[in-house]
Amino acid sequence: MPSPLNDFTSLVLEINGERRAVAFPSHHTLLEVLREECGLTGTKHGCELGECGTCAVLVDGRPVLSCLVLTAEMEGKSIETVEGLAQGNELHPLQAALADLGAAQCGYCTPGILMAAKALLAERPDAERKDIEQALAGNLCRCTGYHKIVEGIEWAAAVMRGEDAEPPHHVLYGEPEPAAAQVPVSAPGAVSEPAPNARLEPPKGQNG
Amino acid sequence: MASETARTQPKPTSRPDSRPTSERPAPVTPEPRYIGKSFRRVDGRAKVTGATLFADDLAFPRMCFMKLVRSTVPHGLIRNIDFSKAREVEGYLGSITGADTPVPFGILPVSQDEHALCPDKVRMVGDPVAAVAAVTEDAAVEAALAVEVEYQELATIASLEEALATPEPRIHDYPKEGGNVHKAVSMEFGQVEDALAGADLVLEDVFFYEGSTHLPMEQHAAVAVPEDIDRLTLYSSTQTPHYVHRALAKVLELPPSRIRVVACSNGGGFGGKSDPFNHEIAAAKMALLLGRPVKISLTREEVFYCHRGRHPVLMSMKTGFSKDGHILGQHLKTALDGGAYGSYGVASTYYTGALQTVTYKLPAYRFDGVRVFTNKAPCGPKRGHGTPQPRFGWEVQLDKAAEKLSMDPAKLRLQNLEEPGRTTANWLQIGTMGLRRCIEAVVEGSDWSTRYGNLPAGRGLGLACGSYLCGAGLPIYWNHMPQSGVQLLLDRSGSVAVYCGEAEIGQGSDSVLAAITAEVLGIELADIRLCVGDTGFTPVDLGSYSSRVTLMAGNAALEAAQRARALLAEAVCDLLEIAADHLVFADNRVFDSSDPENGMSFQEACVAAEAKFGTLSTVGSYIPPRSPGKYRGAGVGPSPTYSYTAAVIEIEVDSETGLYRPVHVWIAHDIGRSLNPVMVLGQVEGSVYMGLGEAMMEEQAYRRLPAKYSSSLVHKHPSMLEYKSPTFLDMPPVTSYLIEDPDPEGPYGAKEVGQGPLLPVMPALANAIFDAVGVRIDQVPIQPHMILRALAAKARGKAARFGPSSFPEIDFGEILHVPTPEQGGDGRSIDDYRHKLRSGMRSASGTMTTREEALEKHGKLTTD
Ligand code: FES
Ligand code: FES
């Protein structure tokens, strides 16, 4: 049986604007080469079968499922991953918005969603909610229920259009309790700091 | 604006007051800096930059790769394993089998029925029979495929009915009663027969709740790094590093002090990463044998075999009501299809009964439950653990009762509400109870009073409620130690390190710890570093399950931070010559509350304290209050307090096709107090999403292959494409209300939010379908053909319903009678002593006897 080690490809990839030479088994996908050869583990995988969207990266600006493309076909193409989104230490507006809204809970779907959203907004800066939902329909997220992600993308889109936008109050704090329903139970308002757990011993010795 | 600096930190809300002190101004009470504010979670930046390291992102020098050889038959004896072809694969390093891991393990002390690699018998397709390691992952895959295993097949058991009817062959050789019943329980609180006999309306329903799986986006992965022949570290995607630590020590037969388990950030858990797993233990064993780091990353298909998700449950529910709509008593029977292993199943069985009593007053209650073994991936805890199934039945049945009694479903619920501070019939202690406000909020928000029952045909509204634990009152194994511990380390730099064994699974537990610590010490989140989920360095926290972390680890952090503040205050008082209780810690300063100019920076305070006391460290820990229930089985259900939720769903149903679509969800959650509202909302919305998935489409279902293939029992669709889950396009708008009524048990009054909001979703959807088209669907997921069948039955004048028709005859064993608080009971069963004698070995169950009984029996504190 021929050794698999003989069947490898070497080429130059351009990732996040940086060119680098890589060698890899010829059948390896872009997902594998990004994560294993290039050390760019920001791109995630949830199925390796093109079913979850977690591995999305941009190839020449278009979202692509990196688990489904062979790296050998990537020569001369421009690849963008989540690691290339921030400018220096400054987060991309999409990143900042998703972070601020808690739209990355476990954060595992987040890189794929950020890349898909970036491609959408590049094409349609005025994307509306239904466009966002459509563009991201192939990205599954099990944590968020999707709303915070959509709201984050809307907010970032507004910022990228140069608008002085803030997320609506209900996005950050929920709908105010309807007045008719308000029943005073115990004193709300200012935080009263709770007493230490009374069932436990008080601190012993100087360092508790 | 969404720039990098926007709202990362809330603006400081108090500044030192510079008025002259001669006026003796009123003391400054600083506004909370973080608590109650929607701040960016502490791991937010790492998660949007791809910097967060999940287990599969780790790499170590000389790391090799492992794959498991998994059973292709659902039930059989292993006759032979042949590695000869695998050894030929270039890069092959070694292999192990069940002979290398003979010690059984399992999450519950009472169900030690799993092996890292099956020694002699396989119980499901996907059971691991061998592990092979190789230099590359490709080679490991190839070598694993080249391993040849011979099985002697046994008859398979595919369903609850088959398990009940087929005592032989047994899937496990326990319990001693024989057959394929894993656990049977029967208990009665008060006189249910009498209550039902005196009722004006008795409803008897049979419901079925299909199993579903967690489907975390991250597939499980683990890396074992050996440090010596008898010492190692395991990095894993686990919600419960402490329990993995215990299982590793047991199976590897090493002192726990030689093993360190690190929970990496989990890419979602939902209960699916709460068991110790065979692949974790096999990787550790392999690493010790090979003397090099070993990584295993599961494929999506393998994650379906790990499962531990929602149990399929068949339920019978018989409830009596007075004609004015008071609930008089209930008899609930549940039958759980447990799959191939015990997992949390004994606890799951009790959970299908335990929380029926905490929402509405239920003066008399009987619960019978049974769990069976089948040759399928084992079920366990998924978001809501055992409670969504009976909650579905209960809330649908209440809707039916309202219909029969011609009462508004909201009014029926409001007039039966359980009360804060009461002890339920099954001896659960209610804390604060915000369900009234929750119901009122969603009723108001959805304009229920004018729209319910009055929408055009095909449109409907449905209401349902739910409640969940804020942490299980008892640990999984008996002990008198804290359930959560936090240690703080402060030094002259003014930085504060927080050590805690909790696992960040996306729910935001790191942010809870950091915010509480920062709030108490008056510093910023950026001044805090966290070390979590590391059994080698952090105080034990039992893990991220049962919605316990905010309350338990939060209270431990609060205590540790208050102790640290007391130390700093003592040192600062000496220097500033003011009384400690006049000091304020805020805005990175420590100052006189009446004279804010008189103070110093937090860092200077640390210097003063380090000079006065030496190295600065404090600890805090949390033990839940004791529950009043003392009967056998009283260990499942108690919690320091309970969260409550109400939801209204509006739906649109096409009665031609049966297709339907939720149009809007209003949901109100009694959170006690939101520590971070935007993160609380994320949990609420995520729960609605997951609940809709279960209600509408998700199924962890099996089928037998046609005989011409193998008659094998296989998972219907172990892939993400065919296991249907809601996408961006399927989520309806959600209006969320956070109902705040601070609970004295919670840190700053906080209760849980990770699981509770899922509970009302499924029944609210079913109830909305009834309002829309007048048919009852008594099972989930609700599929269009079910609606059509029910509509057709209705048109023929038959019962306008789709659902299971009957509940089988089941022997639930001897009934335990427990007088209720209202009957003057003391929390024990009347036949306590007799029962204990007869049930013999079964009372060795860790979770199922009371703490007192266990301690009495062992005569000492136990750690095992
Ligand atoms: S890993 Fe799931 S689509 Fe690529
Ligand atoms: S944030 Fe966890 S899967 Fe999306």
Side-chain angles (χ1 to χ4, degrees):
Chain A
M1 163 165 79
S3 165
L5 297 185
N6 295 330
D7 184 14
F8 70 92
T9 300
S10 58
L11 50 75
V12 172
L13 291 179
E14 188 200 307
I15 306 169
N16 300 325
E18 298 165 9
R19 284 160 52 80
R20 69 168 90 197
V22 286
F24 52 90
S26 299
H27 65 282
H28 273 197
T29 62
L30 180 57
L31 171 70
E32 289 168 298
V33 173
L34 285 172
R35 290 178 53 82
E36 291 159 20
E37 262 71 36
C38 305
L40 294 171
T41 54
T43 301
K44 304 301 177 200
H45 55 93
C47 67
E48 289 120 272
L49 293 168
E51 298 169 350
C52 71
T54 307
C55 64
V57 299
L58 303 188
V59 174
D60 292 338
R62 317 256 339 147
V64 153
L65 297 175
S66 64
C67 71
L68 291 187
V69 298
L70 288 175
T71 314
E73 295 170 349
M74 290 294 110
E75 189 147 36
K77 301 199 189 290
S78 151
I79 299 158
E80 288 171 77
T81 70
V82 68
E83 286 91 347
L85 271 183
Q87 293 299 309
N89 228 341
E90 187 82 10
L91 294 182
H92 188 283
L94 279 166
Q95 291 175 306
L98 262 54
D100 280 345
L101 296 191
Q105 285 186 17
C106 79
Y108 201 80
C109 67
T110 309
I113 282 174
L114 284 168
M115 300 320 286
K118 187 188 178 201
L120 169 71
L121 296 186
E123 197 172 310
R124 311 188 57 178
D126 287 318
E128 289 174 9
R129 178 164 292 231
K130 63 174 178 8
D131 305 320
I132 297 171
E133 289 169 351
Q134 197 69 50
L136 291 171
N139 292 74
L140 295 177
C141 169
R142 280 301 264 181
C143 297
T144 60
Y146 301 117
H147 285 306
K148 292 279 171 274
I149 297 173
V150 174
E151 288 154 357
I153 295 171
E154 288 179 324
W155 180 20
V159 170
M160 289 164 72
R161 291 191 300 263
E163 294 162 27
D164 189 13
E166 282 289 345
H169 185 268
H170 73 87
V171 168
L172 290 169
Y173 289 94
E175 207 62 43
E177 189 175 355
Q182 224 139 38
V183 193
V185 181
S186 50
V191 182
S192 54
E193 188 185 305
N197 188 345
R199 284 174 301 278
L200 292 162
E201 300 280 312
K204 287 195 199 75
Q206 60 175 25
N207 275 359
Chain B
M1 52 172 236
S3 76
E4 162 57 338
T5 46
R7 287 193 27 264
T8 302
Q9 307 288 346
K11 304 277 183 306
T13 43
S14 74
R15 280 284 160 213
D17 187 333
S18 56
R19 278 174 295 176
T21 49
S22 58
E23 290 178 53
R24 303 301 310 160
V28 174
T29 314
E31 276 272 303
R33 177 72 180 275
Y34 295 110
I35 300 302
K37 303 284 166 69
S38 288
F39 58 89
R40 178 187 286 180
R41 45 187 301 157
V42 295
D43 49 359
R45 186 184 171 96
K47 284 179 172 170
V48 296
T49 55
T52 299
L53 290 178
F54 297 90
D56 190 39
D57 299 334
L58 301 179
F60 294 87
R62 293 187 75 234
M63 185 171 83
C64 64
F65 299 84
M66 190 181 91
K67 289 306 280 182
L68 294 175
V69 178
R70 293 186 180 270
S71 173
T72 52
V73 304
H75 199 190
L77 301 173
I78 301 168
R79 283 295 174 231
N80 188 42
I81 309 178
D82 180 357
F83 290 97
S84 55
K85 290 195 182 122
R87 289 196 191 96
E88 303 289 300
V89 173
E90 178 161 357
Y92 171 89
L93 290 173
S95 53
I96 52 176
T97 66
D100 298 291
T101 55
V103 181
F105 70 94
I107 181 71
L108 297 187
V110 73
S111 310
Q112 301 287 299
D113 61 3
E114 300 186 49
H115 286 88
L117 300 167
C118 299
D120 45 20
K121 178 170 168 162
V122 293
R123 298 178 172 87
M124 56 178 249
V125 168
D127 248 348
V129 296
V132 291
V135 175
T136 64
E137 193 170 23
D138 284 352
V141 171
E142 198 184 335
L145 288 172
V147 175
E148 286 170 1
V149 188
E150 276 171 43
Y151 301 97
Q152 177 189 328
E153 291 201 43
L154 300 171
T156 57
I157 292 168
S159 64
L160 169 72
E161 292 75 14
E162 284 182 22
L164 291 170
T166 320
E168 296 286 340
R170 296 189 78 188
I171 293 177
H172 286 280
D173 55 11
Y174 83 102
K176 66 176 170 43
E177 286 82 353
N180 283 303
V181 170
H182 175 208
K183 178 74 187 174
V185 299
S186 180
M187 44 181 72
E188 181 173 37
F189 309 91
Q191 309 291 338
V192 175
E193 282 302 316
D194 294 355
L196 294 177
D200 300 309
L201 170 70
V202 175
L203 292 182
E204 196 169 358
D205 289 292
V206 186
F207 299 101
F208 178 65
Y209 200 108
E210 180 58 283
S212 59
T213 200
H214 322 84
L215 205 75
M217 294 307 294
E218 177 207 27
Q219 303 112 315
H220 308 50
V223 189
V225 182
E227 293 150 352
D228 203 333
I229 49 168
D230 59 353
R231 196 182 135 103
L232 85 158
T233 295
L234 180 86
Y235 300 84
S236 188
S237 28
T238 177
Q239 301 177 232
T240 52
H242 175 64
Y243 296 134
V244 174
H245 187 201
R246 289 168 54 84
L248 277 179
K250 185 181 183 214
V251 180
L252 300 176
E253 300 179 274
L254 288 177
S257 52
R258 301 286 167 86
I259 298 170
R260 173 181 168 221
V261 176
V262 181
C264 299
S265 279
N266 282 211
F270 317 112
K273 296 169 182 168
S274 324
D275 285 61
F277 281 103
N278 48 48
H279 66 268
E280 296 172 312
I281 301 172
K285 183 75 192 177
M286 186 72 91
L288 287 175
L289 290 174
L290 295 179
R292 60 195 287 180
V294 174
K295 178 191 270 191
I296 178 160
S297 310
L298 301 191
T299 64
R300 178 55 61 184
E301 183 178 359
E302 289 179 290
V303 175
F304 279 97
Y305 300 143
C306 288
H307 189 45
R308 324 282 161 159
R310 187 80 72 227
H311 284 78
V313 179
L314 185 65
M315 293 163 270
S316 150
M317 193 178 285
K318 187 172 178 184
T319 310
F321 299 84
S322 68
K323 58 177 174 297
D324 57 354
H326 285 97
I327 301 164
L328 304 176
Q330 179 174 93
H331 183 180
L332 169 67
K333 293 188 252 183
T334 66
L336 294 75
D337 178 348
Y341 290 98
S343 183
Y344 284 80
V346 171
S348 317
T349 308
Y350 281 102
Y351 273 129
T352 61
L355 299 194
Q356 283 301 86
T357 56
V358 297
T359 40
Y360 316 108
K361 284 198 193 109
L362 192 52
Y365 177 48
R366 176 164 171 188
F367 166 62
D368 298 326
V370 72
R371 181 182 194 261
V372 300
F373 289 124
T374 53
N375 293 114
K376 305 188 283 196
C379 300
K382 180 187 171 197
R383 208 170 199 170
H385 192 187
T387 71
Q389 299 97 327
R391 176 57 60 185
F392 170 76
W394 196 192
E395 296 290 327
V396 170
Q397 194 174 62
L398 281 170
D399 213 60
K400 296 182 184 186
E403 178 200 346
K404 293 269 182 327
L405 296 164
S406 305
M407 279 181 79
D408 182 276
K411 178 164 180 286
L412 175 67
R413 287 172 171 86
L414 286 170
Q415 79 171 28
N416 281 291
L417 283 185
E418 189 47 276
E419 283 167 29
R422 244 174 56 97
T423 306
T424 67
N426 60 342
W427 293 88
L428 302 180
Q429 184 62 50
I430 307 295
T432 55
M433 209 280 190
L435 188 52
R436 175 176 300 279
R437 285 169 63 192
C438 292
I439 295 174
E440 287 171 349
V442 295
V443 159
E444 196 69 25
S446 63
D447 196 9
W448 174 269
S449 337
T450 46
R451 301 203 307 141
Y452 173 70
N454 298 320
L455 289 173
R459 276 251 173 181
L461 288 176
L463 168 74
C465 302
S467 172
Y468 200 65
L469 314 165
C470 301
L474 296 174
I476 277 173
Y477 63 97
W478 285 109
N479 68 80
H480 254 181
M481 293 175 284
Q483 288 209 31
S484 192
V486 165
Q487 182 179 12
L488 300 187
L489 190 60
L490 299 78
D491 76 16
R492 59 194 80 177
S493 68
S495 83
V496 177
V498 181
Y499 296 85
C500 177
E502 58 89 359
E504 173 61 74
I505 61 170
Q507 85 279 44
S509 50
D510 286 5
S511 302
V512 167
L513 289 181
I516 288 173
T517 308
E519 193 70 54
V520 172
L521 296 177
I523 57 178
E524 291 180 26
L525 296 177
D527 299 318
I528 291 175
R529 286 183 191 276
L530 293 159
C531 172
V532 302
D534 184 330
T535 67
F537 291 93
T538 59
V540 170
D541 173 272
L542 296 182
S544 292
Y545 66 96
S546 83
S547 276
R548 52 179 298 291
V549 180
T550 292
L551 190 135
M552 298 196 188
N555 274 327
L558 184 66
E559 186 179 57
Q562 286 172 332
R563 287 171 172 175
R565 188 177 59 188
L567 283 181
L568 299 185
E570 204 180 324
V572 171
C573 288
D574 290 356
L575 296 175
L576 299 185
E577 298 180 338
I578 45 175
D581 57 0
H582 288 172
L583 284 180
V584 171
F585 286 65
D587 302 335
N588 281 338
R589 290 182 77 244
V590 184
F591 54 90
D592 183 343
S593 61
S594 306
D595 177 12
E597 289 292 288
N598 184 23
M600 61 176 74
S601 71
F602 181 79
Q603 187 194 353
E604 287 165 337
C606 289
V607 168
E610 198 175 332
K612 184 174 170 72
F613 299 117
T615 302
L616 297 171
S617 178
T618 59
V619 293
S621 45
Y622 180 78
I623 299 179
R626 299 234 176 140
S627 158
K630 309 285 181 234
Y631 58 91
R632 214 171 93 74
V636 177
S639 176
T641 185
Y642 300 86
S643 75
Y644 291 90
T645 319
V648 167
I649 296 183
E650 181 168 352
I651 201 171
E652 200 174 67
V653 185
D654 179 346
S655 47
E656 294 292 306
T657 61
L659 290 171
Y660 65 93
R661 172 177 81 87
V663 177
H664 200 107
V665 178
W666 294 264
I667 184 162
H669 182 69
D670 165 23
I671 179 67
R673 169 155 216 112
S674 297
L675 298 183
N676 180 335
V678 79
M679 288 171 63
V680 171
L681 290 169
Q683 291 300 313
V684 172
E685 290 165 8
S687 293
V688 169
Y689 153 86
M690 200 165 271
L692 287 175
E694 291 190 17
M696 298 171 65
M697 58 189 89
E698 294 188 33
E699 289 180 285
Q700 164 99 353
Y702 277 69
R703 64 187 175 122
R704 276 212 171 88
L705 291 179
K708 66 175 169 179
Y709 300 121
S710 69
S711 305
S712 193
L713 179 64
V714 296
H715 196 293
K716 256 191 187 169
H717 32 48
S719 83
M720 279 187 140
L721 189 63
E722 291 158 287
Y723 180 92
K724 298 294 178 208
S725 65
T727 71
F728 272 90
L729 298 172
D730 300 309
M731 252 323 257
V734 178
T735 301
S736 306
Y737 306 93
L738 304 182
I739 305 301
E740 301 213 326
D741 175 17
D743 191 290
E745 288 295 329
Y748 291 96
K751 302 207 239 185
E752 75 87 36
V753 63
Q755 308 192 62
L758 175 136
L759 290 152
V761 173
M762 297 71 64
L765 189 90
N767 293 342
I769 287 174
F770 179 75
D771 188 38
V773 291
V775 297
R776 293 285 177 191
I777 310 298
D778 289 339
Q779 76 180 59
V780 293
I782 298 173
Q783 292 166 344
H785 74 88
M786 299 174 183
I787 297 175
L788 290 182
R789 291 266 296 274
L791 283 170
K794 186 182 179 190
R796 292 196 308 273
K798 299 237 169 69
R801 166 183 187 271
F802 185 95
S805 51
S806 63
F807 189 90
E809 277 300 314
I810 295 175
D811 176 8
F812 294 98
E814 194 180 350
I815 185 166
L816 194 71
H817 295 281
V818 184
T820 64
E822 271 168 6
Q823 291 177 307
D826 63 355
R828 288 170 208 282
S829 63
I830 41 181
D831 26 23
D832 199 355
Y833 183 67
R834 267 189 302 130
H835 191 87
K836 224 195 284 187
L837 278 187
R838 274 197 221 118
S839 55
M841 280 306 289
R842 276 175 144 203
S843 67
S845 153
T847 320
M848 305 314 134
T849 51
T850 68
R851 187 194 298 261
E852 282 67 24
E853 281 172 338
L855 292 174
E856 219 168 80
K857 188 165 157 228
H858 293 287
K860 60 180 168 60
L861 301 186
T862 57
T863 56
D864 208 331

